[in-house]
């Protein structure tokens, strides 16, 4: 598999983790403020926000839902893609943790 294909699969793999979180809308209109703050009450909420940031990145990159659904089976079976998705979430979590002074 070509490296660019692996990168694309890794990005799409985030949708495997993309079960909508409680209280969060799945679709966001253009211009709608969906990220009013990086501040969260708990580390768990911060991790959920990191997942949300990852999902929104995928949605912004590939807005065609048919493509996302069509490719899901392939990237869901790719260990590398899933690990890359976890890395993206981890980077977002680092950002959220820093914004919350590591919940001190």
């Amino acid at each position: 598999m070509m490296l660019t294909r692996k990168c694309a699969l890794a990005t799409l793999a985030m949708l495997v983790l993309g079960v909508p979180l409680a209280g969060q809308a799945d679709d966001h209109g253009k211009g709608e403020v969906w990220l009013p703050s990086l501040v969260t009450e708990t580390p768990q909420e911060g991790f959920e926000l990191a997942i949300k940031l990852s999902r929104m990145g995928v949605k912004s990159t590939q807005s065609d839902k048919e493509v996302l659904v069509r490719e899901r089976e392939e990237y869901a079976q790719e260990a590398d893609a899933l690990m890359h998705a976890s890395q993206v979430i981890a980077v977002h979590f680092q950002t959220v943790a820093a914004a919350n002074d590591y919940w001190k």
Side-chain angles (χ1 to χ4, degrees):
M1 185 179 300
M2 294 176 24
L3 180 59
T4 55
R5 179 79 170 146
K6 279 190 174 186
C7 290
L9 290 174
T11 303
L12 292 174
M14 288 183 283
L15 291 178
V16 171
L17 302 171
V19 177
L21 301 172
Q24 293 181 338
D26 194 35
D27 293 319
H28 300 284
K30 290 188 180 197
E32 180 182 336
V33 176
W34 62 270
L35 183 63
S37 175
L38 292 177
V39 176
T40 63
E41 292 292 321
T42 66
Q44 182 171 340
E45 287 179 7
F47 185 73
E48 291 171 356
L49 179 56
I51 293 170
K52 178 71 173 181
L53 291 168
S54 299
R55 292 182 67 228
M56 291 303 290
V58 170
K59 185 177 179 179
S60 296
T61 304
Q62 178 52 268
S63 60
D64 187 337
K65 289 183 182 182
E66 289 181 33
V67 172
L68 295 175
V69 171
R70 184 178 66 233
E71 297 292 321
R72 181 173 288 164
E73 186 175 322
E74 183 176 344
Y75 63 74
Q77 302 300 318
E78 290 287 333
D80 286 346
L82 295 172
M83 287 188 295
H84 288 298
S86 293
Q87 290 172 335
V88 171
I89 292 168
V91 169
H92 286 307
F93 185 65
Q94 289 174 339
T95 301
V96 174
N100 285 279
D101 197 25
Y102 303 93
W103 297 277
K104 290 182 181 177

